[in-house]
Amino acid sequence: MEKKKIKSALISVYHKDKLDIIIKKLHGLQIKIYSTGGTKSFIEGLGIPVTAVELLTEYPSIFGGRVKTLHPKILGGILYRRDESKDCEEAARYAIPDIDLVIVDLYPFEETVASGAGEADVIEKIDVGGIALIRAAAKNYKDVLIVPSRREYEPLQALLDGKNGDTDIEDRRRFAGAAFNVSSHYDTAIFQYFNREANEPAFKQSITGRMALRYGENPHQKGSYFGEFDAIFEKLNGKEISYNNLLDIDAAVNLIADFNEPTFAILKHNNACGLASDACLTEAWKKALAGDPVSAFGGVLIANREIDAATAAEIDRIFYEVLIAPSFTPEALTLLQGKKNRILLKQKDHPSVKQQFRSLLNGVAVQDKDLATETIDDMRPVTVRQATEEELVDLLFAGRIVKHSKSNAIVLAKNKQMLASGIGQTSRVDALKQAIEKAHVFGFDLKGAVMASDAFFPFPDCVEIAGNAGIKAIVQPGGSLKDKDSIAAADQLSVAMVFTGTRHFKH
């Protein structure tokens, strides 16, 4: 392994947290330091000698600091190849010094965009010189060590402590890889800002946080999660989260976000198998569990209110994989942590994603997330019999569940309790029959219940089956060429039906 001694360093950073430790270590190793602007002032404040870049380039910082390090004596000192005699001759001829270590932390472009700053401020946070330094040093990793962000300060400190200022090719290549990760992510963020109207036909995403998973959907598949899981959840207990857990957790938080009243939901394979709203969260849990106590085994549970001791005691009676809630009382948490593998998540925030993408064929399909949630005003009566106030509340309730259920989907509900669902069926009739059968298996009387469908009825058969089963109100998007046949069937059975005009397919 080819070792190289660091003799000089160029430092230009935005964030200076923990930089003092690095500076003092470099000084202790007798490494010459070049810097400029605020970084130079910071180093001088530590009482450590530093050479201004302006003295090296014989050129001042110009255009309000836009041009400082973009100079042949800087980029040349980074890029010239130490094992090429011609490069060495040119470096000597033009008095270009060796720069063996480059430490950069870029202007906070993403943070500035997220702050809601105006375009002028955002543009000024596009780093030009820093990106050039990163790319140059990473390209010449055979000779130069690049530290491309403050996240690499600790690895650099460990390297300096462990090798006393020496680096080998593996070290430099590893840091170069991190550097191109930083630069490509930064450029992607800038592109996304300028391409908000999607004028450029390109798909670019860059997510840097990685969580290793035991495996993918099945044990023979590798799996990873890229994202800031800890920004949304605080994990309070349990085993390592799996790929399938993540799919269910995602489905759960999106589902519960559509409910404002105290609500408990139980999910299995990304679909609700039980859900209920009640002023008392413990009662909401009991009603949700009653919807399908068999499927609840090994499921993912979510509530939109704090879990107290009474609710925790009821939940603790069954086996489940994950429980999500905005908070837990100390007594509830102590009880629920009694099983070490049980995953407990405190939800701190809701995902702000507005687009979804999926790899398919030899590319990626992108769509806007389904953020449409119907209200009473969206429900247009189309039958002679009008839905009662209670039925309208249940229709809204069922409609919000069916929106998050795999198509073809039917949901049956009464008194803000999900009675049953039929999901993932190739025929809407089969989905309805499945839901009716499940409701009967678990002892529910469908008389006075309501039904929600994720898409329109192409024929009146579903309306006829539902009405004969005792269902008194139906919500569906409408839009079929044969809507009039379904309306006529509803009128004949004295079933109220409303159209929303919004389909909720989910595949």
Side-chain angles (χ1 to χ4, degrees), residues 214 229 235-242 245 249 320-324 328 339-345:
R214 284 173 291 167
F229 187 84
K235 187 179 178 187
L236 303 175
N237 192 69
K239 62 184 178 181
E240 182 182 332
I241 293 171
S242 72
N245 288 155
I249 291 167
Y320 57 89
E321 288 273 334
V322 183
L323 171 60
I324 308 163
F328 300 80
K339 293 183 173 61
K340 65 177 183 179
N341 286 332
R342 175 185 286 164
I343 298 169
L344 303 177
L345 298 176

Short mmCIF file of all heavy atoms in Angstrom, two decimals, residues 214 229 235-242 245 249 320-324 328 339-345:
data_model
loop_
_atom_site.label_atom_id
_atom_site.label_comp_id
_atom_site.label_asym_id
_atom_site.label_seq_id
_atom_site.Cartn_x
_atom_site.Cartn_y
_atom_site.Cartn_z
N ARG A 214 -32.20 -6.85 7.56
CA ARG A 214 -31.78 -8.25 7.61
C ARG A 214 -31.87 -8.89 6.23
O ARG A 214 -31.00 -9.65 5.82
CB ARG A 214 -32.67 -9.03 8.59
CG ARG A 214 -32.34 -8.78 10.06
CD ARG A 214 -33.37 -9.45 10.94
NE ARG A 214 -34.67 -8.78 10.84
CZ ARG A 214 -35.81 -9.28 11.30
NH1 ARG A 214 -35.82 -10.48 11.84
NH2 ARG A 214 -36.94 -8.63 11.19
N PHE A 229 -35.21 7.71 8.85
CA PHE A 229 -36.25 7.07 9.67
C PHE A 229 -36.38 7.76 11.02
O PHE A 229 -37.49 7.98 11.52
CB PHE A 229 -35.91 5.60 9.84
CG PHE A 229 -36.97 4.78 10.52
CD1 PHE A 229 -38.03 4.26 9.80
CD2 PHE A 229 -36.91 4.52 11.88
CE1 PHE A 229 -39.02 3.51 10.42
CE2 PHE A 229 -37.89 3.76 12.52
CZ PHE A 229 -38.95 3.26 11.78
N LYS A 235 -37.48 5.11 18.14
CA LYS A 235 -37.68 3.70 18.46
C LYS A 235 -37.46 3.49 19.96
O LYS A 235 -36.39 3.77 20.49
CB LYS A 235 -36.71 2.82 17.66
CG LYS A 235 -36.97 1.34 17.81
CD LYS A 235 -35.99 0.53 16.96
CE LYS A 235 -36.21 -0.96 17.15
NZ LYS A 235 -35.18 -1.76 16.47
N LEU A 236 -38.49 2.99 20.62
CA LEU A 236 -38.46 2.85 22.08
C LEU A 236 -38.20 1.43 22.54
O LEU A 236 -37.91 1.20 23.72
CB LEU A 236 -39.78 3.34 22.68
CG LEU A 236 -40.17 4.79 22.33
CD1 LEU A 236 -41.56 5.09 22.88
CD2 LEU A 236 -39.15 5.77 22.88
N ASN A 237 -38.33 0.47 21.63
CA ASN A 237 -38.16 -0.93 22.03
C ASN A 237 -38.18 -1.80 20.79
O ASN A 237 -38.69 -1.41 19.74
CB ASN A 237 -39.32 -1.36 22.95
CG ASN A 237 -39.09 -2.69 23.64
OD1 ASN A 237 -38.22 -2.78 24.51
ND2 ASN A 237 -39.84 -3.71 23.27
N GLY A 238 -37.59 -2.99 20.91
CA GLY A 238 -37.80 -4.00 19.90
C GLY A 238 -36.62 -4.39 19.06
O GLY A 238 -35.55 -3.80 19.12
N LYS A 239 -36.86 -5.39 18.22
CA LYS A 239 -35.84 -5.95 17.35
C LYS A 239 -35.59 -5.05 16.15
O LYS A 239 -36.24 -4.01 15.97
CB LYS A 239 -36.27 -7.34 16.89
CG LYS A 239 -37.55 -7.34 16.08
CD LYS A 239 -38.00 -8.75 15.72
CE LYS A 239 -39.31 -8.73 14.95
NZ LYS A 239 -39.79 -10.09 14.61
N GLU A 240 -34.68 -5.48 15.31
CA GLU A 240 -34.38 -4.75 14.09
C GLU A 240 -35.61 -4.70 13.18
O GLU A 240 -36.32 -5.69 13.01
CB GLU A 240 -33.22 -5.45 13.37
CG GLU A 240 -32.76 -4.79 12.09
CD GLU A 240 -31.64 -5.57 11.42
OE1 GLU A 240 -30.88 -6.27 12.14
OE2 GLU A 240 -31.53 -5.50 10.19
N ILE A 241 -35.86 -3.53 12.62
CA ILE A 241 -37.02 -3.35 11.74
C ILE A 241 -36.74 -4.01 10.39
O ILE A 241 -35.66 -3.85 9.82
CB ILE A 241 -37.33 -1.86 11.57
CG1 ILE A 241 -37.79 -1.29 12.92
CG2 ILE A 241 -38.39 -1.63 10.50
CD1 ILE A 241 -37.93 0.21 12.94
N SER A 242 -37.71 -4.74 9.89
CA SER A 242 -37.53 -5.47 8.64
C SER A 242 -38.10 -4.70 7.45
O SER A 242 -38.82 -3.71 7.60
CB SER A 242 -38.23 -6.83 8.73
OG SER A 242 -39.65 -6.67 8.69
N ASN A 245 -41.81 -4.85 7.70
CA ASN A 245 -42.25 -3.92 8.73
C ASN A 245 -42.35 -2.51 8.16
O ASN A 245 -43.32 -1.79 8.41
CB ASN A 245 -41.27 -3.89 9.91
CG ASN A 245 -41.29 -5.13 10.78
OD1 ASN A 245 -40.30 -5.44 11.44
ND2 ASN A 245 -42.40 -5.85 10.79
N ILE A 249 -45.46 -0.08 8.15
CA ILE A 249 -45.36 1.19 8.89
C ILE A 249 -45.74 2.35 7.98
O ILE A 249 -46.48 3.26 8.38
CB ILE A 249 -43.94 1.36 9.46
CG1 ILE A 249 -43.69 0.35 10.59
CG2 ILE A 249 -43.73 2.79 9.97
CD1 ILE A 249 -42.23 0.24 10.99
N TYR A 320 -48.11 -8.95 18.39
CA TYR A 320 -48.02 -8.07 17.23
C TYR A 320 -46.56 -7.70 16.99
O TYR A 320 -45.71 -7.84 17.87
CB TYR A 320 -48.89 -6.81 17.42
CG TYR A 320 -48.53 -6.01 18.66
CD1 TYR A 320 -47.58 -4.99 18.61
CD2 TYR A 320 -49.16 -6.26 19.88
CE1 TYR A 320 -47.26 -4.26 19.74
CE2 TYR A 320 -48.85 -5.53 21.01
CZ TYR A 320 -47.90 -4.52 20.94
OH TYR A 320 -47.58 -3.81 22.06
N GLU A 321 -46.28 -7.20 15.81
CA GLU A 321 -44.91 -6.87 15.43
C GLU A 321 -44.52 -5.45 15.84
O GLU A 321 -43.44 -5.22 16.37
CB GLU A 321 -44.74 -7.00 13.90
CG GLU A 321 -44.72 -8.42 13.39
CD GLU A 321 -43.33 -9.03 13.41
OE1 GLU A 321 -42.34 -8.29 13.35
OE2 GLU A 321 -43.25 -10.27 13.51
N VAL A 322 -45.41 -4.49 15.54
CA VAL A 322 -45.09 -3.07 15.71
C VAL A 322 -46.29 -2.33 16.30
O VAL A 322 -47.44 -2.59 15.93
CB VAL A 322 -44.72 -2.42 14.35
CG1 VAL A 322 -44.31 -0.95 14.54
CG2 VAL A 322 -43.61 -3.19 13.64
N LEU A 323 -46.00 -1.39 17.20
CA LEU A 323 -47.01 -0.48 17.72
C LEU A 323 -46.50 0.95 17.55
O LEU A 323 -45.39 1.27 17.99
CB LEU A 323 -47.31 -0.76 19.20
CG LEU A 323 -48.21 0.26 19.92
CD1 LEU A 323 -49.57 0.37 19.25
CD2 LEU A 323 -48.36 -0.12 21.39
N ILE A 324 -47.31 1.79 16.91
CA ILE A 324 -46.95 3.19 16.64
C ILE A 324 -47.95 4.10 17.32
O ILE A 324 -49.17 3.89 17.23
CB ILE A 324 -46.96 3.48 15.13
CG1 ILE A 324 -46.12 2.46 14.36
CG2 ILE A 324 -46.46 4.90 14.84
CD1 ILE A 324 -46.39 2.43 12.87
N PHE A 328 -46.53 7.61 24.73
CA PHE A 328 -46.92 6.54 25.65
C PHE A 328 -46.77 7.07 27.07
O PHE A 328 -45.78 7.75 27.38
CB PHE A 328 -45.99 5.33 25.49
CG PHE A 328 -45.98 4.71 24.12
CD1 PHE A 328 -45.22 5.27 23.08
CD2 PHE A 328 -46.71 3.57 23.84
CE1 PHE A 328 -45.20 4.70 21.82
CE2 PHE A 328 -46.70 2.99 22.58
CZ PHE A 328 -45.94 3.56 21.57
N LYS A 339 -41.83 -7.20 26.51
CA LYS A 339 -41.43 -8.16 25.47
C LYS A 339 -40.35 -7.50 24.62
O LYS A 339 -40.62 -6.52 23.92
CB LYS A 339 -42.64 -8.58 24.65
CG LYS A 339 -43.66 -9.39 25.45
CD LYS A 339 -44.81 -9.86 24.58
CE LYS A 339 -45.73 -10.81 25.35
NZ LYS A 339 -46.35 -10.21 26.53
N LYS A 340 -39.13 -8.03 24.68
CA LYS A 340 -37.98 -7.33 24.11
C LYS A 340 -38.01 -7.21 22.59
O LYS A 340 -37.41 -6.28 22.03
CB LYS A 340 -36.68 -8.03 24.55
CG LYS A 340 -36.51 -9.45 24.01
CD LYS A 340 -35.18 -10.03 24.45
CE LYS A 340 -34.95 -11.42 23.85
NZ LYS A 340 -33.64 -11.98 24.25
N ASN A 341 -38.68 -8.12 21.89
CA ASN A 341 -38.70 -8.07 20.43
C ASN A 341 -39.79 -7.17 19.86
O ASN A 341 -39.77 -6.84 18.68
CB ASN A 341 -38.86 -9.48 19.84
CG ASN A 341 -37.60 -10.30 19.97
OD1 ASN A 341 -36.50 -9.75 20.00
ND2 ASN A 341 -37.73 -11.61 20.05
N ARG A 342 -40.72 -6.78 20.68
CA ARG A 342 -41.85 -5.97 20.24
C ARG A 342 -41.34 -4.57 19.87
O ARG A 342 -40.73 -3.88 20.68
CB ARG A 342 -42.87 -5.90 21.36
CG ARG A 342 -44.04 -4.99 21.11
CD ARG A 342 -44.89 -4.93 22.36
NE ARG A 342 -45.66 -6.16 22.55
CZ ARG A 342 -46.24 -6.49 23.69
NH1 ARG A 342 -46.08 -5.72 24.75
NH2 ARG A 342 -46.94 -7.60 23.78
N ILE A 343 -41.62 -4.14 18.64
CA ILE A 343 -41.15 -2.84 18.17
C ILE A 343 -42.15 -1.76 18.58
O ILE A 343 -43.33 -1.81 18.22
CB ILE A 343 -40.97 -2.83 16.64
CG1 ILE A 343 -39.90 -3.86 16.24
CG2 ILE A 343 -40.59 -1.43 16.14
CD1 ILE A 343 -39.83 -4.12 14.74
N LEU A 344 -41.68 -0.78 19.35
CA LEU A 344 -42.49 0.35 19.78
C LEU A 344 -41.92 1.62 19.15
O LEU A 344 -40.74 1.92 19.31
CB LEU A 344 -42.49 0.49 21.30
CG LEU A 344 -42.97 -0.73 22.10
CD1 LEU A 344 -42.83 -0.46 23.60
CD2 LEU A 344 -44.40 -1.10 21.74
N LEU A 345 -42.77 2.35 18.43
CA LEU A 345 -42.32 3.56 17.74
C LEU A 345 -43.14 4.75 18.20
O LEU A 345 -44.37 4.73 18.16
CB LEU A 345 -42.47 3.41 16.23
CG LEU A 345 -41.65 2.30 15.55
CD1 LEU A 345 -42.00 2.23 14.07
CD2 LEU A 345 -40.16 2.52 15.74
#
